mmCIF file of all heavy atoms in Angstrom:
data_model
loop_
_atom_site.group_PDB
_atom_site.id
_atom_site.type_symbol
_atom_site.label_atom_id
_atom_site.label_comp_id
_atom_site.label_asym_id
_atom_site.label_seq_id
_atom_site.Cartn_x
_atom_site.Cartn_y
_atom_site.Cartn_z
ATOM 1 N N TYR A 20 15.479 -7.557 -1.211
ATOM 2 C CA TYR A 20 14.338 -7.941 -0.387
ATOM 3 C C TYR A 20 13.367 -8.825 -1.173
ATOM 4 O O TYR A 20 13.271 -8.731 -2.396
ATOM 5 C CB TYR A 20 13.560 -6.695 0.072
ATOM 6 C CG TYR A 20 14.356 -5.735 0.906
ATOM 7 C CD1 TYR A 20 15.155 -4.757 0.311
ATOM 8 C CD2 TYR A 20 14.318 -5.785 2.294
ATOM 9 C CE1 TYR A 20 15.895 -3.869 1.083
ATOM 10 C CE2 TYR A 20 15.044 -4.894 3.065
ATOM 11 C CZ TYR A 20 15.841 -3.938 2.458
ATOM 12 O OH TYR A 20 16.561 -3.063 3.212
ATOM 13 N N ASP A 21 12.610 -9.660 -0.449
ATOM 14 C CA ASP A 21 11.462 -10.329 -1.056
ATOM 15 C C ASP A 21 10.358 -9.280 -1.163
ATOM 16 O O ASP A 21 9.873 -8.766 -0.140
ATOM 17 C CB ASP A 21 11.008 -11.506 -0.189
ATOM 18 C CG ASP A 21 12.019 -12.647 -0.206
ATOM 19 O OD1 ASP A 21 12.754 -12.754 -1.199
ATOM 20 O OD2 ASP A 21 12.069 -13.415 0.767
ATOM 21 N N THR A 22 9.978 -8.969 -2.388
ATOM 22 C CA THR A 22 9.045 -7.874 -2.648
ATOM 23 C C THR A 22 7.792 -8.392 -3.347
ATOM 24 O O THR A 22 7.882 -9.134 -4.320
ATOM 25 C CB THR A 22 9.707 -6.800 -3.531
ATOM 26 O OG1 THR A 22 10.872 -6.307 -2.865
ATOM 27 C CG2 THR A 22 8.756 -5.642 -3.794
ATOM 28 N N THR A 23 6.634 -7.987 -2.827
ATOM 29 C CA THR A 23 5.349 -8.334 -3.432
ATOM 30 C C THR A 23 4.738 -7.074 -4.026
ATOM 31 O O THR A 23 4.710 -6.028 -3.364
ATOM 32 C CB THR A 23 4.383 -8.926 -2.380
ATOM 33 O OG1 THR A 23 5.021 -10.032 -1.742
ATOM 34 C CG2 THR A 23 3.081 -9.382 -3.031
ATOM 35 N N VAL A 24 4.265 -7.160 -5.264
ATOM 36 C CA VAL A 24 3.664 -6.014 -5.946
ATOM 37 C C VAL A 24 2.193 -6.298 -6.227
ATOM 38 O O VAL A 24 1.851 -7.321 -6.823
ATOM 39 C CB VAL A 24 4.401 -5.702 -7.267
ATOM 40 C CG1 VAL A 24 3.757 -4.500 -7.961
ATOM 41 C CG2 VAL A 24 5.888 -5.433 -7.003
ATOM 42 N N HIS A 25 1.325 -5.396 -5.771
ATOM 43 C CA HIS A 25 -0.110 -5.493 -6.042
ATOM 44 C C HIS A 25 -0.507 -4.333 -6.949
ATOM 45 O O HIS A 25 -0.174 -3.174 -6.648
ATOM 46 C CB HIS A 25 -0.935 -5.394 -4.750
ATOM 47 C CG HIS A 25 -0.531 -6.368 -3.684
ATOM 48 N ND1 HIS A 25 -0.981 -7.664 -3.650
ATOM 49 C CD2 HIS A 25 0.280 -6.220 -2.598
ATOM 50 C CE1 HIS A 25 -0.473 -8.284 -2.593
ATOM 51 N NE2 HIS A 25 0.301 -7.425 -1.932
ATOM 52 N N PHE A 26 -1.232 -4.613 -8.018
ATOM 53 C CA PHE A 26 -1.754 -3.555 -8.884
ATOM 54 C C PHE A 26 -3.217 -3.312 -8.524
ATOM 55 O O PHE A 26 -4.031 -4.242 -8.545
ATOM 56 C CB PHE A 26 -1.597 -3.937 -10.355
ATOM 57 C CG PHE A 26 -0.157 -4.025 -10.781
ATOM 58 C CD1 PHE A 26 0.461 -5.256 -10.972
ATOM 59 C CD2 PHE A 26 0.597 -2.872 -10.948
ATOM 60 C CE1 PHE A 26 1.800 -5.336 -11.334
ATOM 61 C CE2 PHE A 26 1.940 -2.938 -11.311
ATOM 62 C CZ PHE A 26 2.535 -4.172 -11.501
ATOM 63 N N ILE A 27 -3.513 -2.076 -8.144
ATOM 64 C CA ILE A 27 -4.856 -1.738 -7.677
ATOM 65 C C ILE A 27 -5.326 -0.455 -8.358
ATOM 66 O O ILE A 27 -4.553 0.226 -9.041
ATOM 67 C CB ILE A 27 -4.894 -1.562 -6.134
ATOM 68 C CG1 ILE A 27 -3.965 -0.421 -5.686
ATOM 69 C CG2 ILE A 27 -4.518 -2.862 -5.438
ATOM 70 C CD1 ILE A 27 -4.050 -0.111 -4.201
ATOM 71 N N SER A 28 -6.602 -0.125 -8.139
ATOM 72 C CA SER A 28 -7.159 1.087 -8.748
ATOM 73 C C SER A 28 -6.797 2.308 -7.909
ATOM 74 O O SER A 28 -6.422 2.199 -6.737
ATOM 75 C CB SER A 28 -8.680 0.974 -8.844
ATOM 76 O OG SER A 28 -9.250 0.997 -7.540
ATOM 77 N N GLU A 29 -6.926 3.483 -8.512
ATOM 78 C CA GLU A 29 -6.678 4.738 -7.800
ATOM 79 C C GLU A 29 -7.628 4.890 -6.621
ATOM 80 O O GLU A 29 -7.254 5.371 -5.549
ATOM 81 C CB GLU A 29 -6.825 5.908 -8.774
ATOM 82 C CG GLU A 29 -6.219 7.205 -8.273
ATOM 83 C CD GLU A 29 -6.090 8.247 -9.367
ATOM 84 O OE1 GLU A 29 -6.610 8.030 -10.483
ATOM 85 O OE2 GLU A 29 -5.469 9.280 -9.100
ATOM 86 N N GLU A 30 -8.868 4.446 -6.817
ATOM 87 C CA GLU A 30 -9.874 4.529 -5.748
ATOM 88 C C GLU A 30 -9.464 3.658 -4.553
ATOM 89 O O GLU A 30 -9.591 4.071 -3.388
ATOM 90 C CB GLU A 30 -11.249 4.088 -6.265
ATOM 91 C CG GLU A 30 -11.878 5.032 -7.276
ATOM 92 C CD GLU A 30 -11.185 4.996 -8.641
ATOM 93 O OE1 GLU A 30 -10.573 3.947 -8.971
ATOM 94 O OE2 GLU A 30 -11.246 6.006 -9.360
ATOM 95 N N GLU A 31 -8.967 2.442 -4.840
ATOM 96 C CA GLU A 31 -8.534 1.552 -3.766
ATOM 97 C C GLU A 31 -7.348 2.141 -3.004
ATOM 98 O O GLU A 31 -7.271 2.041 -1.777
ATOM 99 C CB GLU A 31 -8.136 0.188 -4.337
ATOM 100 C CG GLU A 31 -9.295 -0.685 -4.777
ATOM 101 C CD GLU A 31 -8.800 -1.961 -5.438
ATOM 102 O OE1 GLU A 31 -8.310 -1.886 -6.582
ATOM 103 O OE2 GLU A 31 -8.895 -3.032 -4.784
ATOM 104 N N LEU A 32 -6.411 2.745 -3.729
ATOM 105 C CA LEU A 32 -5.248 3.343 -3.077
ATOM 106 C C LEU A 32 -5.681 4.455 -2.126
ATOM 107 O O LEU A 32 -5.210 4.534 -0.986
ATOM 108 C CB LEU A 32 -4.268 3.881 -4.126
ATOM 109 C CG LEU A 32 -2.903 4.299 -3.566
ATOM 110 C CD1 LEU A 32 -2.052 3.067 -3.252
ATOM 111 C CD2 LEU A 32 -2.158 5.214 -4.531
ATOM 112 N N LYS A 33 -6.578 5.315 -2.582
ATOM 113 C CA LYS A 33 -7.062 6.419 -1.747
ATOM 114 C C LYS A 33 -7.856 5.903 -0.554
ATOM 115 O O LYS A 33 -7.748 6.426 0.559
ATOM 116 C CB LYS A 33 -7.915 7.378 -2.584
ATOM 117 C CG LYS A 33 -7.104 8.214 -3.564
ATOM 118 C CD LYS A 33 -8.000 9.108 -4.404
ATOM 119 C CE LYS A 33 -7.176 9.937 -5.389
ATOM 120 N NZ LYS A 33 -8.027 10.721 -6.303
ATOM 121 N N ARG A 34 -8.654 4.844 -0.785
ATOM 122 C CA ARG A 34 -9.522 4.322 0.282
ATOM 123 C C ARG A 34 -8.734 3.565 1.348
ATOM 124 O O ARG A 34 -8.968 3.736 2.546
ATOM 125 C CB ARG A 34 -10.568 3.407 -0.342
ATOM 126 C CG ARG A 34 -11.603 2.858 0.665
ATOM 127 C CD ARG A 34 -12.436 1.775 0.014
ATOM 128 N NE ARG A 34 -11.634 0.574 -0.241
ATOM 129 C CZ ARG A 34 -11.874 -0.253 -1.254
ATOM 130 N NH1 ARG A 34 -12.842 -0.016 -2.124
ATOM 131 N NH2 ARG A 34 -11.110 -1.324 -1.410
ATOM 132 N N ASP A 35 -7.785 2.730 0.893
ATOM 133 C CA ASP A 35 -7.141 1.789 1.812
ATOM 134 C C ASP A 35 -5.717 2.164 2.219
ATOM 135 O O ASP A 35 -5.162 1.565 3.143
ATOM 136 C CB ASP A 35 -7.108 0.388 1.175
ATOM 137 C CG ASP A 35 -8.491 -0.134 0.838
ATOM 138 O OD1 ASP A 35 -9.453 0.245 1.539
ATOM 139 O OD2 ASP A 35 -8.611 -0.913 -0.134
ATOM 140 N N HIS A 36 -5.104 3.138 1.526
ATOM 141 C CA HIS A 36 -3.686 3.410 1.767
ATOM 142 C C HIS A 36 -3.398 4.910 1.844
ATOM 143 O O HIS A 36 -2.337 5.368 1.418
ATOM 144 C CB HIS A 36 -2.836 2.763 0.668
ATOM 145 C CG HIS A 36 -3.078 1.289 0.523
ATOM 146 N ND1 HIS A 36 -2.532 0.354 1.366
ATOM 147 C CD2 HIS A 36 -3.855 0.600 -0.364
ATOM 148 C CE1 HIS A 36 -2.933 -0.860 1.007
ATOM 149 N NE2 HIS A 36 -3.737 -0.735 -0.041
ATOM 150 N N SER A 37 -4.323 5.673 2.412
ATOM 151 C CA SER A 37 -4.144 7.132 2.459
ATOM 152 C C SER A 37 -3.313 7.582 3.658
ATOM 153 O O SER A 37 -2.786 8.685 3.672
ATOM 154 C CB SER A 37 -5.507 7.834 2.494
ATOM 155 O OG SER A 37 -6.238 7.427 3.653
ATOM 156 N N GLY A 38 -3.181 6.732 4.664
ATOM 157 C CA GLY A 38 -2.444 7.112 5.866
ATOM 158 C C GLY A 38 -0.939 6.976 5.688
ATOM 159 O O GLY A 38 -0.444 6.483 4.673
ATOM 160 N N ILE A 39 -0.196 7.432 6.723
ATOM 161 C CA ILE A 39 1.272 7.312 6.705
ATOM 162 C C ILE A 39 1.706 6.680 8.034
ATOM 163 O O ILE A 39 2.429 7.286 8.833
ATOM 164 C CB ILE A 39 1.950 8.681 6.498
ATOM 165 C CG1 ILE A 39 1.251 9.486 5.395
ATOM 166 C CG2 ILE A 39 3.422 8.489 6.109
ATOM 167 C CD1 ILE A 39 1.817 10.874 5.203
ATOM 168 N N PRO A 40 1.262 5.437 8.297
ATOM 169 C CA PRO A 40 1.660 4.779 9.553
ATOM 170 C C PRO A 40 3.103 4.284 9.472
ATOM 171 O O PRO A 40 3.653 4.119 8.384
ATOM 172 C CB PRO A 40 0.691 3.591 9.634
ATOM 173 C CG PRO A 40 0.454 3.233 8.186
ATOM 174 C CD PRO A 40 0.442 4.556 7.443
ATOM 175 N N HIS A 41 3.716 4.069 10.615
ATOM 176 C CA HIS A 41 5.031 3.432 10.636
ATOM 177 C C HIS A 41 5.326 2.982 12.057
ATOM 178 O O HIS A 41 4.453 3.020 12.929
ATOM 179 C CB HIS A 41 6.124 4.368 10.112
ATOM 180 C CG HIS A 41 7.133 3.652 9.257
ATOM 181 N ND1 HIS A 41 7.658 2.426 9.587
ATOM 182 C CD2 HIS A 41 7.717 3.982 8.085
ATOM 183 C CE1 HIS A 41 8.503 2.027 8.659
ATOM 184 N NE2 HIS A 41 8.561 2.952 7.722
ATOM 185 N N GLY A 42 6.548 2.561 12.294
ATOM 186 C CA GLY A 42 6.945 2.078 13.608
ATOM 187 C C GLY A 42 8.114 1.142 13.484
ATOM 188 O O GLY A 42 8.791 1.090 12.453
ATOM 189 N N GLY A 43 8.347 0.379 14.539
ATOM 190 C CA GLY A 43 9.435 -0.573 14.491
ATOM 191 C C GLY A 43 9.936 -0.943 15.866
ATOM 192 O O GLY A 43 9.327 -0.600 16.891
ATOM 193 N N PHE A 44 11.078 -1.647 15.877
ATOM 194 C CA PHE A 44 11.619 -2.216 17.107
ATOM 195 C C PHE A 44 13.143 -2.066 17.119
ATOM 196 O O PHE A 44 13.805 -2.275 16.102
ATOM 197 C CB PHE A 44 11.305 -3.719 17.183
ATOM 198 C CG PHE A 44 9.851 -4.054 16.961
ATOM 199 C CD1 PHE A 44 9.357 -4.206 15.671
ATOM 200 C CD2 PHE A 44 8.982 -4.227 18.032
ATOM 201 C CE1 PHE A 44 8.021 -4.516 15.446
ATOM 202 C CE2 PHE A 44 7.643 -4.536 17.814
ATOM 203 C CZ PHE A 44 7.165 -4.687 16.528
#
């Protein structure tokens, strides 16, 4: 896959990525 990696702080991960969304078609 074409993969993009972002390095962020622990605070940012908790603030912006705490959910578990998903879906598809």
Side-chain angles (χ1 to χ4, degrees):
Y20 299 85
D21 290 334
T22 301
T23 305
V24 180
H25 306 277
F26 294 105
I27 61 175
S28 68
E29 196 167 8
E30 292 72 26
E31 286 175 287
L32 190 76
K33 288 178 180 175
R34 184 190 69 210
D35 301 330
H36 304 281
S37 60
I39 316 176
H41 220 317
F44 309 85

